[in-house]
Structures are given as structure tokens and as C-alpha cells.
Amino acid sequence: MSTNKEVISDWQLSLQNNYGTPTIALSNGIGCEVWDVEGNRYLDLLSGIATNILGHANPEIVRAISEQSKALSHVSNFYAHPNVVNLAKKLKTFTNDESARVFFANSGAEANEAALKLSRLTGRKKVVAMKGGFHGRTMGALSLTGQSAKQIPFKPLLSDIKMIAFNDLKEARKAITKKVAMVIVEPIQGENGVVVPDAGYLSGLRELTEKTGTLLVIDAVQTGMGRTGSWFGYESEGIVPDVITLAKGLGGGLPLGAMIALGKSASLFEPGSHGSTFGGNPISCAAALAAIRVIETDNLQEKAREIELSLKLELSKNPIVSTVRGKGLLIGVLLKKPIAREFVGELQSRGILANAPTQDVIRLAPALVISQEQIEEFIQKFKEVAVTYER
Ligand SMILES: *Cc1c(COP(=O)(O)O)cnc(C)c1O
């Protein structure tokens, strides 16, 4: 048996240093629990990185993957596959739009690249995106990402992209003109520290973009697939966007992204406009269909909304906590001091996995199958770490 130390030292000798060096190596998991190569157990409050929407080794997903891998692992997009069609049909029903059409990709960045290319086919070039937003790391998606530290080393990026303040309709009103092809926005800015806009913000953007004929692109890569208590994370605003992008939780832990275009924008792509060799892989689509089936039959969206309330109530009792924000099972714990990274390290040494997207926010994005006992275990360990900072 190898040790964490051995794996990490080999990691340093063989992998690029773009992620920074991890401290443990994970080997297996079930539900919300994972074990490292030395057999230490952790409670996974991140579910991969908001990807394993039903946790690890969910039996329905395991069955779907293994059955499909015995039948066919890949068909090119020269041919149709029932899983791909069934998943697209299912996603369409969540949009309530008969005219919606789906393009499958492998990741969030690719889904947003597809949206960006789609917007060019409106004949316009300008894009409005949000400061603090995150849409991926490829050159197009990075151009949309409103975080200068990630952008600066890679300039020049795409031109004609205007960054405006998130949750500010006044700025949006000035920026969104008839020359703007698309506006891209997350229902909650996950990577920016789980920043939730005011009620009425997304519907305000919808109103503005409707007037100028601009595509409203909702990046639901992190908020999607039931995590925030609804399929995409914008439904409480009562809007119909032009484009929805998905990835992370969509494939139930397998790589899968989607760009869903609604209404008139659904017919902008024509044969030859875009493509992806692996996009809409039948195994990933089988996993996605299984995940959706379980989310529906076990009412996991409702459960996410319930756990949100108890997490907010209990975590905000700790004096070090300034506020607990987010929706469903996408939660940001804002601390009164910039110690989030250190705090996460302390949690890990007590067997809890979470992460710190910013210096004062701890992000929780557990699988929707997390149990009440596991939530209580987390709250207890959180409290243990929190009191050490109160002295
Ligand atoms: C993670 C994320 C992406 C990028 O997804 P990748 O699969 O890493 O390319 C895009 N948008 C949002 C909102 C995300 O959270």
C-alpha cells in the first residue's frame, strides 16, 4: 500500500504544477464518504467539485455506466444514440420550451465556448459579462471570466467583452445595447465565493436583453442539476433565458457539458457550425440519465432546500461566521477573518473535505444524497475548528 506522501511526491515529479500540490490522495468512496490511500476516512462536503451530484459510487449510476460500457462506449456524431437523444429530451422538459435544442460538450468551458460561438451567429460581436464571474479556462471562456488574476498572464484575450459589476442593474442598463450579442451570468457566482444576487436581478437582465434582442446566457454549470433546489438555479426569477450552459453535476461524476438554446436561438447553429468528438458520449449520457432519475424519484431538490435551512441556522451560530449564504446545497460560509484556507486545512485534518474559493469564504457543495447524520457530523467538526479561532 502506498502512502499519501509517496503519491504526492510522485505527483510533484510527474504532473504540472497548475493546481498547486495536494496533501492527500483519494482512492475510493461511497455516497458522501471518501477514503485516502492510507485508509483514512473523510466526509466529502464538495462532491468532487460539485460534480458527483449523487455522491460516490451511486449504485444506479454504476449500473448505468457498466451496462452502457458493455454495449458501446462511443459513437461519433455521424450517428445518433438513444441515450444522447433521451437525455436531450429530458433536459428540454426542464426548460419548458418545445423549441429548445441541446448541444453536448465535455465540460463547462466547452459549453460556454459553444454559447459564445452561437452568439456570433446573431451577427453581433459584443459581449457583456460580470466582474467576479467564472466561466472556464479556455481562451474564449477565460475572456468571459471576470477575474483579472486568471486573465492577465494570458492577454490578449477576445476583444469586445465588457465586464460590469454583478448584481448592478444600473450598470447593466448602460452596457446592454442593440450591439450586444450576449450577456452571460451565473445565477450564483460560485467561484467568486457563492455570491447570491438580489431577487429581481436576473429578471431585470431578462427585461433589458429582451428589449435589445440580446441573448441572455445563464451559466448553470455550478448551480445546475438540482443543486440549488431547482434544475438550473434561475427558476425562482420566473424567466426564460435564451441559452443555458451545464456541466459539473450533469454527468453524475462523468465528464459531460451541455449548451441548451431556447426559442429562436435554437436554430442558429447549422451543420458545420460547431462540434465535439466526445461531446454527448453514450456512457456519460447514461450516467446523467440515471442521476436525473434518482434526483426526481427521491425528491432530492426538496431535500437540498431543507438542508440549506439547517446548515444556515447552525453554522451562523459560530461567532467566527459573519453570514451563511447560498441556495440549496451550494453554500458559502463567510468568515469574519481572511482565514478560510487555513480553516479548510483544519477541517481536513479532522476528516472533512471542503474548499475556500476566496480568503474569507468556505464553500460547501455536497452531494444531494447527504444524510442528516452527516450534516450533524460536519456542523460538530466545524464548531470544533471555529472555537480555536475565537480565543
Ligand atoms: C466550473 C465552472 C465552469 C468551468 O467548467 P469546466 O468543466 O472546469 O470547464 C464554468 N462555469 C461555472 C459557473 C463553473 O462553476
Side-chain angles (χ1 to χ4, degrees), residues 24 35 38 49 80 108 247 272 294 317 353 370 373:
I24 52 172
W35 285 264
E38 296 174 19
I49 177 85
V294 175
K317 285 179 184 165
L353 302 185
I370 194 162
E373 296 78 64

Side-chain angles (χ1 to χ4, degrees), residues 18-237:
N18 56 310
Y19 296 111
T21 308
T23 51
I24 52 172
L26 300 178
S27 66
N28 60 299
I30 186 146
C32 294
E33 295 178 300
V34 289
W35 285 264
D36 67 19
V37 291
E38 296 174 19
N40 300 306
R41 170 207 181 258
Y42 303 84
L43 188 57
D44 183 8
L45 269 288
L46 262 189
S47 61
I49 177 85
T51 47
N52 299 50
I53 196 90
L54 298 184
H56 303 276
N58 177 276
E60 300 284 325
I61 292 183
V62 170
R63 186 177 317 128
I65 291 172
S66 52
E67 274 172 19
Q68 185 54 48
S69 68
K70 282 182 234 161
L72 264 181
S73 59
H74 184 243
V75 292
S76 78
N77 289 302
F78 292 135
Y79 313 102
H81 190 279
N83 290 0
V84 181
V85 177
N86 289 336
L87 180 58
K89 275 167 73 179
K90 194 75 197 171
L91 292 174
K92 265 184 64 170
T93 65
F94 301 155
T95 68
N96 292 315
D97 178 13
E98 232 345 276
S99 57
R101 294 290 183 273
V102 182
F103 167 79
F104 284 114
N106 308 286
S107 68
E110 285 180 36
N112 288 326
E113 291 287 343
L116 194 53
K117 283 183 72 177
L118 187 89
S119 81
R120 287 285 174 97
L121 300 184
T122 61
R124 303 179 186 182
K125 287 195 188 70
K126 286 182 188 291
V127 173
V128 169
M130 305 302 158
K131 289 177 184 163
F134 182 79
H135 303 291
R137 306 274 196 157
T138 54
M139 291 300 268
L142 182 62
S143 301
L144 303 171
T145 289
Q147 303 184 11
S148 47
K150 294 188 174 79
Q151 285 190 328
I152 285 167
F154 303 102
K155 289 193 167 183
L157 296 168
L158 285 184
S159 55
D160 274 341
I161 295 179
K162 176 141 186 76
M163 293 290 167
I164 62 171
F166 184 58
N167 197 26
D168 186 334
L169 284 174
K170 244 203 210 139
E171 274 204 23
R173 196 164 296 121
K174 270 189 265 165
I176 299 170
T177 66
K178 287 193 170 151
K179 287 193 170 155
V180 177
M182 69 180 247
V183 172
I184 186 163
V185 64
E186 297 158 82
I188 295 174
Q189 287 190 332
E191 297 304 308
N192 197 30
V194 193
V195 182
V196 186
D198 297 333
Y201 177 60
L202 293 180
S203 55
L205 287 181
R206 176 69 286 184
E207 220 170 278
L208 292 170
T209 48
E210 196 120 59
K211 275 194 198 131
T212 56
T214 298
L215 300 182
L216 178 63
V217 180
I218 298 284
D219 180 342
V221 168
Q222 192 159 155
T223 55
M225 301 321 290
R227 172 159 298 287
T228 53
S230 63
W231 285 112
F232 303 119
Y234 64 74
E235 288 87 336
S236 60
E237 290 275 298

Side-chain angles (χ1 to χ4, degrees), residues 294-306:
V294 175
I295 293 168
E296 286 184 320
T297 51
D298 293 353
N299 284 324
L300 294 182
Q301 303 193 11
E302 199 180 303
K303 191 179 145 195
R305 290 191 292 266
E306 285 166 17

